[in-house]
Amino acid sequence: MAGGPAAAGEGISAGKNKVAGIAMTAFAAFGGILFGYDTGTISGIIQMDDWLRTFGVFTTDTATYSLGYYLPSSRESLVVSLLSAGTFFGALLGAPAADILGRRMGIICSCLVFSVGVALQTGAPNLAAFLIGRVIAGAGVGLVSTLVPMYQSECSPKWIRGAVVSGYQWAITIGLLLASVINNATKGRQNHSAWQIPISIQFIWALVLAAGMTYLPESPRWLVKKGRDEQAARALSRLTSLPTDDPELQTELHDIRAALEEEMKLGESSYADCFKPGHNKIILRTLSGIFIQAWQQLTGINFIFYYGTTFFKNSGISNPFLISVATNIVNVFMTIPGIWGIERFGRRSLLLYGAAVMCVCEFLVAIIGVTISTQNQSGQKALIALVCIYIGAFASTWGPIAWVITGEIFPLNVRAKAMSLSVASNWLWNWAISFATPYLVNTGPGNAGLGVKVFFIWGSTCFGCLVFTYFCIPETKGLSLEQIDLLYQNSTPISSVRYRKELIAQDVHVSDVKGDLAEHHDDHGSVAEKV
């Protein structure tokens, strides 16, 4: 990646190092397909005729509801938000799964949980069974959303770690796109296959991920934490294509051990340790992870992907399903420059610029939306264009970077617990937004009837994203996970850009640090090739 630390190694081993480390950890990003597809498919399913006849409420008001069935706000919010409720608890279970089973085996087990939920939804005879399936599938998604970024962060080469973890978000966007395309293809069917096909296809995603993970190595950092040093060396050897006795590989293992030993002096970690103040700033890091995931949801992006079809339909768009496909295409392809830019421009700057662009677009959508009618075709096209720009800004900044940040800012001893709390925060807010949105935007008794005015809320929260990033998120581009510990110990988020350059220029290692700051380390290999 241009702009990141340059790869200084020469010859076959340097090239093999890159290919092995990237390919293996990049595959784990496939877990994002489960996340994105399950999130995206429900938006179209709840608008399908057969699904409404099966799970909706009968009505004689055919003037308003031509099908004779409709979905009240209470039932709509329940159906959509229960997945997020399941994912919240699944994300919390990600910590014991990661620490006990390991990162790799935890992902495989998550696929099994997810498949049980998919089976229940596919064969659901009534709404209760469908909802239980949503919760169980959500638990599987929550586990995956904690374990995959953790596995990728611990196994990726540091010079491209951000891009690799961003691949998880890209997979999420691909899942969303696949969901909208398949929904669009089956929506006209007048039997259960209209919604059973989109749901049952998820078995394929789970099978591919579980099968693929059986061939990948376990996280070397988890193996070191478990005292299995020989297995850690072999796993790291597979990720780097270096022999286990290579000086560069041994130096990396020594750094991991040194960082872990320093943390273990404080005793076995608990959830309370995630909020302890101290020189390592654990409480700042935990709260930063929790809030960056919360702010990601508060950008309002899932309003588009959960309720986009319904929203566009109510806005007078003739084919809301096609508009949903178009917004998902924007989401997929605009994530690509984000994957490139995260190692070119860094995490902090992209978060700041992304929040600013989203804020402007959201307020413009709200202002234009309240001043034009649904019959104004030019105005509606302008709204769609602004929504697409907003989605593009999210996809290239806050979408992938929130996962990168939560995957890399925590020390090893509390990483699983702190990351599970962060991802649980994502799903808690995801649930809250998906549950509350029908009441906010729909008309009728008990609803706020905001409609397009809801974008005033999202614009305000995007401004909050900007303020939060400036004061709380440091620049971590090009640093190893152990060097990020030093960054937090010796700088603030505002001064982190300068201190990060010092760490890279001096090639500082945790194992060299005996006091306030490190001396220069005369390394055996390239800085850029370190995991």
Side-chain angles (χ1 to χ4, degrees):
M1 284 289 170
E10 296 181 6
I12 296 175
S13 65
K16 286 172 67 178
N17 187 332
K18 296 177 187 177
V19 172
I22 295 169
M24 289 185 185
T25 53
F27 173 80
F30 194 87
I33 297 282
L34 275 68
F35 181 165
Y37 187 92
D38 205 285
T39 299
T41 194
I42 198 65
S43 172
I45 282 176
I46 61 176
Q47 294 296 315
M48 293 179 181
D49 292 350
D50 185 77
W51 193 92
L52 286 171
R53 284 193 293 265
T54 305
F55 302 114
V57 175
F58 177 76
T59 178
T60 56
D61 183 9
T62 54
T64 305
Y65 306 102
S66 58
L67 187 65
Y69 291 86
Y70 77 106
L71 201 61
S73 294
S74 58
R75 188 168 294 193
E76 182 181 8
S77 66
L78 188 64
V79 169
V80 175
S81 66
L82 265 184
L83 176 83
S84 302
T87 52
F88 171 77
F89 292 105
L92 290 178
L93 289 172
D99 282 339
I100 297 170
L101 300 175
R103 285 44 164 160
R104 183 180 69 95
M105 187 54 66
I107 294 172
I108 294 171
C109 293
S110 302
C111 293
L112 177 61
V113 174
F114 178 75
S115 296
V116 172
V118 171
L120 280 171
Q121 290 178 78
T122 303
N126 52 52
L127 184 61
F130 190 87
L131 294 177
I132 292 171
R134 292 280 291 166
V135 173
I136 295 174
V141 172
L143 284 163
V144 167
S145 62
T146 297
L147 293 165
V148 167
M150 189 187 309
Y151 178 83
Q152 290 183 300
S153 295
E154 293 187 350
C155 296
S156 302
K158 69 178 182 181
W159 63 277
I160 200 170
R161 183 180 62 245
V164 169
V165 180
S166 296
Y168 176 68
Q169 174 65 22
W170 192 37
I172 293 174
T173 67
I174 293 172
L176 287 163
L177 175 60
L178 288 171
S180 70
V181 169
I182 294 170
N183 280 346
N184 192 54
T186 65
K187 70 179 188 296
R189 292 171 175 255
Q190 295 304 309
N191 53 43
H192 289 352
S193 67
W195 50 274
Q196 286 179 336
I197 290 174
I199 292 173
S200 61
I201 281 175
Q202 295 175 104
F203 285 120
I204 299 174
W205 315 142
L207 177 63
V208 170
L209 179 61
M213 290 304 298
T214 61
Y215 293 99
L216 298 189
E218 182 54 85
S219 162
R221 287 174 168 85
W222 179 78
L223 291 169
V224 168
K225 184 177 180 181
K226 292 297 180 180
R228 294 152 63 176
D229 288 7
E230 289 186 8
Q231 293 179 45
R234 288 197 296 270
L236 194 57
S237 176
R238 286 191 62 194
L239 290 165
T240 61
S241 295
L242 296 171
T244 56
D245 58 353
D246 185 88
E248 184 179 348
L249 185 146
Q250 288 299 319
T251 297
E252 184 67 15
L253 286 174
H254 188 50
D255 280 348
I256 296 171
R257 288 191 207 99
L260 181 61
E261 287 169 5
E262 189 66 27
E263 295 166 34
M264 292 301 290
K265 291 177 182 177
L266 302 176
E268 187 64 30
S269 65
S270 65
Y271 278 101
D273 292 316
C274 296
F275 298 95
K276 282 187 177 179
H279 77 289
N280 216 15
K281 299 179 184 173
I282 299 297
I283 185 172
L284 171 63
R285 295 154 83 165
T286 301
L287 291 177
S288 295
I290 289 172
F291 280 102
I292 196 170
Q293 291 287 351
W295 284 117
Q296 187 205 53
Q297 292 303 303
L298 287 167
T299 59
I301 191 67
N302 276 333
F303 168 76
I304 299 297
F305 296 120
Y306 278 139
Y307 298 104
T309 305
T310 304
F311 178 75
F312 290 129
K313 182 178 180 180
N314 294 341
S315 297
I317 304 300
S318 59
N319 195 333
F321 277 88
L322 282 181
I323 297 300
S324 179
V325 172
T327 56
N328 277 288
I329 289 173
V330 172
N331 195 28
V332 169
F333 286 99
M334 284 306 295
T335 303
I336 297 174
I339 293 173
W340 169 79
I342 196 169
E343 299 299 352
R344 176 65 177 86
F345 304 108
R347 287 72 156 144
R348 180 178 165 87
S349 57
L350 284 183
L351 287 173
L352 290 170
Y353 286 120
V357 172
M358 288 190 294
C359 180
V360 171
C361 288
E362 302 264 35
F363 279 126
L364 285 176
V365 168
I367 292 168
I368 295 172
V370 298
T371 56
I372 65 171
S373 68
T374 57
Q375 285 72 42
N376 187 328
Q377 291 301 305
S378 297
Q380 293 301 318
K381 289 177 181 178
L383 288 181
I384 293 171
L386 284 168
V387 167
C388 287
I389 294 171
Y390 151 69
I391 292 172
F394 175 87
S396 56
T397 58
W398 276 81
I401 297 176
W403 296 104
V404 173
I405 294 295
T406 52
E408 66 186 13
I409 63 173
F410 304 120
L412 180 58
N413 201 34
V414 298
R415 183 170 297 141
K417 293 180 176 65
M419 192 163 178
S420 72
L421 290 172
S422 300
V423 177
S425 168
N426 178 292
W427 289 111
L428 178 64
W429 284 98
N430 189 306
W431 169 81
I433 291 168
S434 61
F435 184 84
T437 294
Y439 296 103
L440 290 173
V441 299
N442 290 350
T443 57
N447 298 317
L450 292 179
V452 75
K453 291 191 286 291
V454 75
F455 281 92
F456 281 116
I457 296 175
W458 307 140
S460 301
T461 53
C462 284
F463 181 75
C465 292
L466 184 69
V467 175
F468 166 77
T469 300
Y470 183 79
F471 288 105
C472 298
I473 301 300
E475 183 53 71
T476 54
K477 183 185 77 168
L479 300 178
S480 71
L481 299 183
E482 289 69 38
Q483 285 174 322
I484 291 173
D485 286 339
L486 298 177
L487 183 79
Y488 270 98
Q489 292 167 18
N490 297 284
S491 70
T492 66
I494 296 174
S495 65
S496 62
V497 175
R498 176 185 56 79
Y499 186 74
R500 168 195 158 272
K501 292 178 181 178
E502 293 179 15
L503 287 174
I504 292 177
Q506 297 178 20
D507 191 16
V508 175
H509 288 254
V510 174
S511 55
D512 300 327
V513 178
K514 302 299 181 184
D516 295 328
L517 189 55
E519 58 188 270
H520 179 268
H521 180 86
D522 185 16
D523 198 357
H524 294 284
S526 163
V527 181
E529 298 299 325
K530 292 289 187 182
V531 173

